[in-house]
């Protein structure tokens, strides 16, 4: 139940069916995976539902990494909106899930077993199957590219955009994928025309809406650096840890506008 579809609908039904006082466990993989802050936004939104409908319930995040994006912003928001509801066990505290027993809803880590009433196991990820079939993915499961042109380094005349490529600092996000699509189209057109393509600049923005009217964000621009993308110096933005509630509300509004804009741009 990571990307939206049948599984996320099932997750919703399981949350609705859960008794008050149940434990919801989210297993988060190591990077790279699509949308690095999204598991923590999801934990927040599940907490919003539980607080209203099943306030004795808890959310346990079993995490395969130590630091998380915008960590202090998430932790402060959890204290403010969902006190005592969300607990996170980091990698160094034994949070990495190594296997799952669906029959008993047990998640197994290197250090102990956790029983869940509802489990959302976000698995380690790789590029889609078509990338492997095309020979464009390497043994990491992701696609190495020449960042100046998005050209696969493994298969001639294939250009890879979006989550599938090995991007360095460029995030696996919809905003970055959209920006890559536009840049790559220009590059392929230039290559066909026999002219020198312009080097790409990718823009990435991620909003985290953790409660109604309360969001924070991070963004940056990325350009080819060595074999990957590096962040353009001075382009990075992250919402301040201490801010007036007006700023969080503005960011929540901007998140909605961003979503409408990218949806229209992508799907018409
Ligand atoms: C819970 C969650 C929250 C997120 N939140 C945000 C956010 O707030 N902001 C943000 O910017 N990003 C967010 N993302 C990340 C964003 O969804 C992805 O980074 C983005 O969708 C990547 O686009 P893509 O085109 O690379 O891959 P995809 O969107 O996965 O598109 C690939 C498409 O290829 C199709 N396909 C696969 N194989 C074939 C084939 N053989 N033939 C034809 N078609 C095929 C698939 O069906 C799919 O439609 C989130 C992701 C998740 C899971």
């Amino acid at each position: 139940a990571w990307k939206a579809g049948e599984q996320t609908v099932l997750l919703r039904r399981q949350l609705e069916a859960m008794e008050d006082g149940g434990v919801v466990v989210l297993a988060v993989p190591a990077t790279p995976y699509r949308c690095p802050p999204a598991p923590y936004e999801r934990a927040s939104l599940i907490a919003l539902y539980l607080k209203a409908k099943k306030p004795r319930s808890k959310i346990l995040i079993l995490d395969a990494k130590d630091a998380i994006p915008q960590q202090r912003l998430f932790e402060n928001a959890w204290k403010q909106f969902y006190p005592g509801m969300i607990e996170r066990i980091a990698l160094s505290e034994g949070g990495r899930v190594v296997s799952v027993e669906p029959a008993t809803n047990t998640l197994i880590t290197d250090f102990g077993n956790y029983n869940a009433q509802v489990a959302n196991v976000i698995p380690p990820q790789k590029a889609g199957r078509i990338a492997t079939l095309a020979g464009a993915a390497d043994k990491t499961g992701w696609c190495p590219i020449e960042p100046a042109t998005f050209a696969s380094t493994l298969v001639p005349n294939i250009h890879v955009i979006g989550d599938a490529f090995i991007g360095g600092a460029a995030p696996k996000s919809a905003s970055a994928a959209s920006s890559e699509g536009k840049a790559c189209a220009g590059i392929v057109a230039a290559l066909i025309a026999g002219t020198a393509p312009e080097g790409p600049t990718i823009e990435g923005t991620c909003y985290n809406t953790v409660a109604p009217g309360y969001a924070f964000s991070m963004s940056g621009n990325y350009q080819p650096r060595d074999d990957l993308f590096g962040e353009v110096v001075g382009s990075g933005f992250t919402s301040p840890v201490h801010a007036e509630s007006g700023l969080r509300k503005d960011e929540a509004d901007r998140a909605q506008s961003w979503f409408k804009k990218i949806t229209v741009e992508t799907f018409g």
Side-chain angles (χ1 to χ4, degrees):
W2 189 223
K3 61 179 190 179
E6 217 177 287
Q7 284 279 307
T8 43
V9 173
L10 176 64
L11 175 64
R12 180 195 172 123
R13 285 203 203 104
Q14 290 178 342
L15 290 168
E16 285 168 346
M18 189 181 82
E19 300 276 326
D20 189 7
V23 178
V24 178
V25 182
L26 249 110
V28 183
T31 47
Y33 60 87
R34 53 175 21 186
C35 204
Y40 315 101
E41 181 186 56
R42 176 170 290 178
S44 311
L45 297 179
I46 293 175
L48 176 71
Y49 166 72
L50 295 178
K51 188 177 160 186
K53 304 280 184 187
K54 302 164 197 216
R56 293 190 299 115
S57 309
K58 294 255 182 299
I59 298 168
L60 178 65
I61 303 172
L62 296 175
D63 209 328
K65 56 191 178 313
D66 279 324
I68 69 169
Q70 303 201 289
Q71 185 151 346
R72 284 184 63 202
L73 284 149
F74 274 111
E75 288 174 352
N76 288 353
W78 292 344
K79 272 192 207 124
Q80 181 180 342
F81 293 104
Y82 315 114
M85 275 190 103
I86 303 178
E87 184 191 351
R88 176 174 168 267
I89 301 184
L91 172 68
S92 54
E93 299 159 336
R96 188 173 67 104
V97 170
V98 291
S99 63
V100 177
E101 284 174 5
T104 55
N105 258 14
T106 307
L107 290 93
I108 295 145
T109 71
D110 290 323
F111 293 89
N113 295 356
Y114 295 87
N115 194 255
Q117 273 63 58
V118 174
N120 181 187
V121 180
I122 305 164
Q125 293 166 30
K126 58 182 184 176
R129 189 161 167 266
I130 191 171
T132 311
L133 291 176
D138 69 13
K139 61 180 187 316
T140 66
W142 303 99
C143 304
I145 59 160
E146 180 56 55
T149 58
F150 300 93
S152 164
T153 58
L154 300 178
V155 194
N157 299 322
I158 288 187
H159 295 252
V160 185
I161 55 166
D163 288 350
F165 73 68
I166 299 172
K172 295 195 185 302
S173 72
S175 55
S178 166
S179 178
E180 291 152 19
K182 291 169 200 156
C184 186
I187 287 164
V188 171
L191 291 174
I192 291 169
T195 56
E198 219 178 279
T201 300
I202 298 172
E203 293 169 24
T205 307
C206 263
Y207 288 98
N208 295 298
T209 304
V210 296
Y214 190 105
F216 42 83
S217 68
M218 56 197 287
S219 59
N221 293 345
Y222 309 89
Q223 285 177 336
R225 192 180 302 156
D226 303 325
D227 294 338
L228 297 167
F229 281 93
E231 188 171 282
V232 176
V233 176
S235 71
F237 167 82
T238 175
S239 306
V241 171
H242 301 289
E244 310 259 319
S245 58
L247 177 67
R248 305 290 191 233
K249 171 76 175 70
D250 283 353
E251 293 226 68
D253 292 344
R254 266 181 260 150
Q256 291 299 317
S257 318
W258 170 83
F259 178 69
K260 279 188 199 126
K261 182 168 174 275
I262 195 163
T263 307
V264 169
E265 264 186 27
T266 308
F267 301 108

